Amino acid sequence: PGSAPTTRSTCYRRSREGEMYVITSACDRCGFCLLECALDAIEPGQSVHRIVQERCTRCGACHEVCPIDAIDRVPEEAASGA
């Protein structure tokens, strides 16, 4: 595991149009993504954390800081179940 970020980042890069970030079941709830998200778009959960898509700008900061690669970039239609 990596070390916790000390400051919130600015966005690393935006995902491509039509893509979004989701937290997978591999999440171990370390909290690094919570600390990194400048918009508080990640909510803690009992088994995994959850990205609130309405608040997420898709910058990828959470993806970059996750020490176990539990945050994936996926097509929006796949994430919505369409």
Side-chain angles (χ1 to χ4, degrees):
S3 60
T6 55
T7 59
R8 289 184 173 190
S9 73
T10 56
C11 293
Y12 288 92
R13 64 175 176 264
R14 290 187 60 82
S15 64
R16 286 174 257 167
E17 190 67 31
E19 293 182 332
M20 61 195 297
Y21 290 94
V22 295
I23 300 176
T24 69
S25 60
C27 174
D28 66 1
R29 297 181 14 205
C30 68
F32 292 175
C33 59
L34 291 168
L35 295 171
E36 188 70 10
C37 183
L39 298 174
D40 295 321
I42 300 174
E43 294 181 340
Q46 286 199 311
S47 58
V48 298
H49 295 322
R50 181 179 81 86
I51 297 174
V52 179
Q53 297 300 330
E54 296 78 21
R55 284 187 246 157
C56 179
T57 62
R58 289 143 177 80
C59 73
C62 59
H63 175 77
E64 296 293 327
V65 76
C66 182
I68 60 169
D69 296 323
I71 301 175
D72 289 340
R73 187 173 63 200
V74 300
E76 285 184 11
E77 57 272 4
S80 66

